[in-house]
Amino acid sequence: MNSYQTQVAVIGASLGGVMAAWQSCRQGVKTILVSEYHWLGGQMTSQGVPPDEHRFIESFGASKSYYAFRKAIREHYQAQPDFVDNSSLTEGLNPGDGWVSRLCFEPKVAEDYFRDLLQPFVEQGLLVLLERHRLSSVQCQQDRITAVEVQCPQGKAVSLMADVYLDATDTGELLKQANMPYALGKESRDEFNEPQTPETADPMDQQPVTWVMALRKYPGKAPAIAKPPAYDFWRDYHLPGYDYPIFSEKLPGGEPFGHITLPLFGQGETLDLWRYRRVIAAKNWRSDKQDVSLINWAQNDYALEPYLDNPDFSEEELAERARQLSLCLLYWLQNEAPRHSVCEAGFGFPELGLAPDVTGTEDGLAQQLYIRESRRIKGLETLTLCDIQADGNSDSNPLRATNSVGIGLYNMDIHPTCRSQMGANARVRPFELPLGIFIPKTITNLLPACKNLSVTHLVGAVTRVHPVEWLVGEVAGLIAAYSISQGKTPADIHSDPRQVTQLQQLLEVQGIPLHWPDNNAFSRYEE
């Protein structure tokens, strides 16, 4: 078996994993990044999800490197000779003119950016990129990880020995294989006294997963797909507690178990499903391009069974079921969806078809399942909804933390979950991330670097989005590097105010914002 000795091992090339490896290498720390999929960048690339961003993002509220990335994406499109900015649904140059974000773009553009970001460290010998490898086993001794084993698709194993290990998987797989305590699903009301929590904890009440697909609006008839075997089931399926079929123009919203209606296609300022996550807008190109939208809708959320730690089905089986749901949705769109949103009678949009060139796959579905909820560390501190819930007068009164290592903000966005089917979309106040939510109570040389912070199920619905995961990865990489430089564990640093201050100084130098501005700054940018 081949083996590597390194200082930092980042397991998972998620969005957080890429940024963790980048910041670690910037500190001169020898790093290994393990990537399971063809594209680096997780939800932004291989999962096919355009950025979900908070309402202040054009002005403030993310790390320096995230703003450099946003600027580079816009410059990439501006440099294309046939591109013209006719975006109208959001402020700022928006290549896809989608309305989920002020910046919707093709996933491959981001993947190219990440490759360019890491390549200098590969050339310097600071970074080893192990591609097409996945975690297979973990060895621990007392309170430390001593080695992890990863395997390539052919089964060849590689052993990694590091000073610090970062779990940057989208599922918290390293936490599980290290046999450390972790949280999953919903906590009980007694545990943190959060509203909207059940009397009894339910690890199986998880957010749904989605297999995103890229659809192009072809100028004529698109390649049709065969009727999937599960189509009749999904066409007639009603989400429990909701009074409409999942394949419709309705989706959860408003009051608990209520719904809103969005047309499949809209014009002008009318919000619609097609333009929700559109990443190529034909109107933004002088050349002959067609609209492409990444389909990550409520209509293809898979919530029949929980994805993680399911006692009855493997992750591979559940991922395939989610994949089939997306294909069933496509078949409905091509054949049975009503055409009234385009002011026509009849059914079916045969002009909609898969766009493999956008996903980097043979079939036009994303390379990886989109996973909203991860296993979460049980840390020295836990961020709860009671901490970040908006007060009665304002949702712009930030949560402050004296040991802050970053900031975050997004709506508490919970898709109807797998057991209670309860969904939510509520504003929270801007919050600061205390150092203790990065540090497990048990394993001393492991840090979370993706969606696996010490937060509750409800708060995880806020911290899972792109700018926060990006920052989490950066912070994890910098904590790891600082820990190594000081010869101390992250827990030792947490307990020493002088060390916390020095770590905060490093974070600020590296472009991590530690604090939100005061309320007056928010009021100037309120929508």
Side-chain angles (χ1 to χ4, degrees), residues 204-478:
M204 295 296 101
D205 202 11
Q206 302 166 26
Q207 291 233 41
V209 295
T210 305
W211 206 303
V212 179
M213 57 185 171
L215 296 187
R216 174 172 282 116
K217 189 187 293 184
Y218 283 77
K221 188 176 181 180
I225 66 166
K227 181 179 177 180
Y231 179 71
D232 290 340
F233 170 83
W234 285 113
R235 180 192 57 199
D236 299 331
Y237 180 75
H238 287 58
L239 194 66
Y242 297 81
D243 62 353
Y244 59 86
I246 189 171
F247 292 168
S248 69
E249 295 180 331
K250 296 179 180 179
L251 62 158
E255 297 299 318
F257 297 101
H259 70 266
I260 60 174
T261 300
L262 292 179
L264 289 172
F265 294 92
Q267 297 292 328
E269 296 182 358
T270 299
L271 300 184
D272 61 328
L273 288 168
W274 177 254
R275 294 182 296 173
Y276 178 45
R277 295 183 182 273
R278 184 173 59 180
V279 293
I280 298 178
K283 68 177 185 177
N284 279 352
W285 295 88
R286 298 186 185 93
S287 54
D288 187 22
K289 283 184 179 282
Q290 290 83 43
D291 269 16
V292 173
S293 188
L294 292 171
I295 309 304
N296 172 21
W297 301 347
Q299 288 80 352
N300 61 330
D301 279 355
Y302 184 84
L304 278 186
E305 298 94 7
Y307 181 67
L308 296 177
D309 293 359
N310 191 311
D312 300 317
F313 302 97
S314 69
E315 291 180 12
E316 291 75 16
E317 289 174 310
L318 293 169
E320 181 57 28
R321 291 184 178 202
R323 185 184 186 86
Q324 290 303 313
L325 169 57
S326 290
L327 291 173
C328 289
L329 174 60
L330 173 56
Y331 187 84
W332 179 78
L333 288 169
Q334 288 185 333
N335 296 278
E336 297 189 27
R339 292 187 65 89
H340 57 246
S341 63
V342 293
C343 301
E344 294 180 12
F347 298 90
F349 292 84
E351 63 270 31
L352 299 182
L354 292 162
D357 55 304
V358 175
T359 57
T361 58
E362 293 182 357
D363 57 10
L365 279 81
Q367 298 174 19
Q368 180 186 1
L369 184 68
Y370 174 41
I371 300 167
R372 295 178 177 85
E373 179 166 354
S374 173
R375 302 174 182 93
R376 307 179 294 278
I377 70 164
K378 294 199 171 185
L380 299 181
E381 301 175 65
T382 300
L383 196 63
T384 76
L385 183 60
C386 298
D387 298 318
I388 69 172
Q389 193 169 24
D391 61 39
N393 299 318
S394 171
D395 58 5
S396 301
N397 179 28
L399 169 71
R400 306 294 187 185
T402 56
N403 63 350
S404 172
V405 291
I407 62 174
L409 179 63
Y410 194 67
N411 281 9
M412 186 181 73
D413 182 15
I414 299 179
H415 295 222
T417 53
C418 296
R419 288 289 186 260
S420 66
Q421 285 79 46
M422 176 63 85
N425 193 305
R427 281 193 177 188
V428 301
R429 59 180 177 148
F431 54 90
E432 297 172 1
L433 301 170
L435 174 60
I437 68 173
F438 283 81
I439 304 175
K441 291 179 179 179
T442 52
I443 301 294
T444 59
N445 64 337
L446 180 147
L447 293 167
C450 193
K451 303 180 181 76
N452 46 1
L453 295 172
S454 182
V455 299
T456 63
H457 165 84
L458 296 175
V459 176
V462 182
T463 57
R464 66 182 176 84
V465 296
H466 303 67
V468 183
E469 185 190 328
W470 179 295
L471 181 143
V472 165
E474 289 191 83
V475 171
L478 288 166

